[in-house]
Amino acid sequence: MTRTPPPPLGAFPHVARLQTRWMDNDLYGHVNNVVYYSYFDTLIAEFMIHQAGFDPFDAPVVGVAVETGCRFHSSIRYPEQIDAGLRVGRLGTTSVRWEIGIFKAGEPDVAAADGHFVHVFVDRTTQRPVPIPDDLRRIMTTLQR
Amino acid sequence: MTRTPPPPLGAFPHVARLQTRWMDNDLYGHVNNVVYYSYFDTLIAEFMIHQAGFDPFDAPVVGVAVETGCRFHSSIRYPEQIDAGLRVGRLGTTSVRWEIGIFKAGEPDVAAADGHFVHVFVDRTTQRPVPIPDDLRRIMTTLQR
Amino acid sequence: MTRTPPPPLGAFPHVARLQTRWMDNDLYGHVNNVVYYSYFDTLIAEFMIHQAGFDPFDAPVVGVAVETGCRFHSSIRYPEQIDAGLRVGRLGTTSVRWEIGIFKAGEPDVAAADGHFVHVFVDRTTQRPVPIPDDLRRIMTTLQR
Amino acid sequence: MTRTPPPPLGAFPHVARLQTRWMDNDLYGHVNNVVYYSYFDTLIAEFMIHQAGFDPFDAPVVGVAVETGCRFHSSIRYPEQIDAGLRVGRLGTTSVRWEIGIFKAGEPDVAAADGHFVHVFVDRTTQRPVPIPDDLRRIMTTLQR
């Protein structure tokens, strides 16, 4: 199996330091594959909340995950910390493709995992797709490479 | 965005009924996207344990996730139950691609989500790839379509 | 340390079979202590939803946890299943003390863990305590011993 | 219901800043009660690892939870951060009672929750109780008040 090598941390315009938890480790002594998606989820929500003023509790438009994926290159284990990188791939009218890199803190050259997360924005009440609000779109464009 | 429609439950040779938990629902009132991967994880482990006698605590060869992915088509919410379908896609020497369908219990025609999970089998001690053990491989072939 | 022995499964009027998940096991190869509370949470919610018609999505009155606790007697590990027993201890005007026993499926004599969960019922909007609705109270009394 | 008021953050000799995650919020829009125990778990493990050189992967003696409990005073919600305080209550030959306070970051006077966690130390192989190793005991005494 040959794979495109994952990008280094420097390829991601936004970076956040994330903590791991005891429970993240599974029987095999490393962070369970499922938990990486929780890092993705949290990284993206935090970016939208803190950089674009998105309010998950009241916003009339919310992002719904329609596709996610992750490739695992090496393992991470609690109590290690994570540097998570975020950039925006395809930016459509109602959807955005986020791209994420997960790095062991202090090892920015080789990603432990990389993945993507496609959000479709929908009206909170009707759940029908709507254009991405301007303030969110504007901040998303700053993450395009 | 047009996507290949997901297969119906009948396309999966192995099916298990899975429970949801209160905590699976997130702020938006449906099962959080991350949790679907826990269903995948559990479905596959259970199949290997109960159908092929795999012992996750002692087996000399263990499966390590190298890639996972999921497409979300409609939402599920606790306390609904799930029918999870499993089949085997590509079966290599050291790796296997599992394909999974997630259905609201009693709705076998339209998948709520579908995904994949690629395992590479490695020696428990050295963590180097090794051929899939014969008993596991044999049972995997029964899931090929 | 001497402790009051936990009650057997027969001491609980309501029993549900719960599944464990791969991720429930932690580094030490058994279900992590945190996860037991998720069993409590799910057991109680399910009882209220299915036995008393409680609707967590729309009910004007919701239960808020104000105190929980658990004693661990022996370990459980995925893929084992659980028989969870539920009864009602103190039943006040606005609060209820649920008592829970966690048993390895098929071993009803010796609890692996036992615990409690105190709910205060509050108005969904104001979050102020309100009397437990009659239909809930009635079904709770059936669990008193 | 009258309760002993929880201690302020200043009553805890060790304090760590903990992150919340998107998934921590449940349907009711605040951190689910179960997740607080994951904060406890992580706080204690981290203290033992970083302050006393405890190695959860190889240590011959490990801590097993025999009792945990939590009282909830007010809610916390993602994306808020947490200041978690830790002190040692009863310190026995083979067991220790940790006491924990959970505070919304920046609000050190009023705990959102407080709880306890009793560890019994056991031989990793035999799982029989053994005296707490000296280096761990020494560091635990620094947390006594």
Side-chain angles (χ1 to χ4, degrees), chain A residues 3 37 41 66 68 70 72, chain B residues 3 32 37 41 66 68 70 72:
Chain A
R3 304 199 281 189
Y37 289 97
D41 216 28
V66 294
T68 60
C70 188
F72 304 90
Chain B
R3 305 199 279 190
N32 179 263
Y37 289 97
D41 216 28
V66 295
T68 60
C70 188
F72 305 91

Side-chain angles (χ1 to χ4, degrees), chain D residues 90-95 121 130-133 137:
Chain D
R90 207 186 67 88
L91 178 55
T93 304
T94 63
S95 71
F121 285 81
V130 292
I132 299 174
R137 171 178 300 278

Side-chain angles (χ1 to χ4, degrees), chain A residues 15 24 29 41-42 44-45 50 58 61 63 73 87 99 105-106 126 137:
Chain A
V15 176
D24 294 351
D41 216 28
T42 298
I44 294 167
H50 291 138
D58 284 316
V61 172
H73 307 291
R87 67 183 183 189
E99 296 173 350
T126 67
R137 172 179 300 277

Side-chain angles (χ1 to χ4, degrees), chain C residues 1 3 26-28 30 32-35 37-39 41 54-57 61-73 90 95 117-118 120 124 127, chain D residues 1 3 26-28 30 32-35 37-39 41 54-57 61-73 90 95 117-118 120 124 127:
Chain C
M1 202 168 42
R3 304 199 278 191
D26 69 9
L27 176 58
Y28 292 157
H30 52 229
N32 179 264
N33 65 84
V34 175
V35 183
Y37 289 97
S38 176
Y39 303 149
D41 216 28
F54 176 73
D55 177 354
F57 301 96
V61 172
V62 298
V64 171
V66 295
E67 184 184 318
T68 61
C70 188
R71 302 186 307 163
F72 304 91
H73 308 290
R90 207 186 68 89
S95 71
F117 197 113
V118 181
V120 167
R124 193 179 200 112
Q127 295 284 309
Chain D
M1 200 168 42
R3 305 200 278 191
D26 68 9
L27 175 59
Y28 293 158
H30 52 229
N32 179 263
N33 64 86
V34 175
V35 183
Y37 289 97
S38 176
Y39 303 148
D41 216 28
F54 176 73
D55 178 354
F57 301 95
V61 172
V62 298
V64 171
V66 295
E67 184 185 317
T68 60
C70 188
R71 302 186 305 163
F72 304 90
H73 308 290
R90 207 186 67 88
S95 71
F117 197 112
V118 181
V120 167
R124 193 181 200 111
Q127 295 283 309

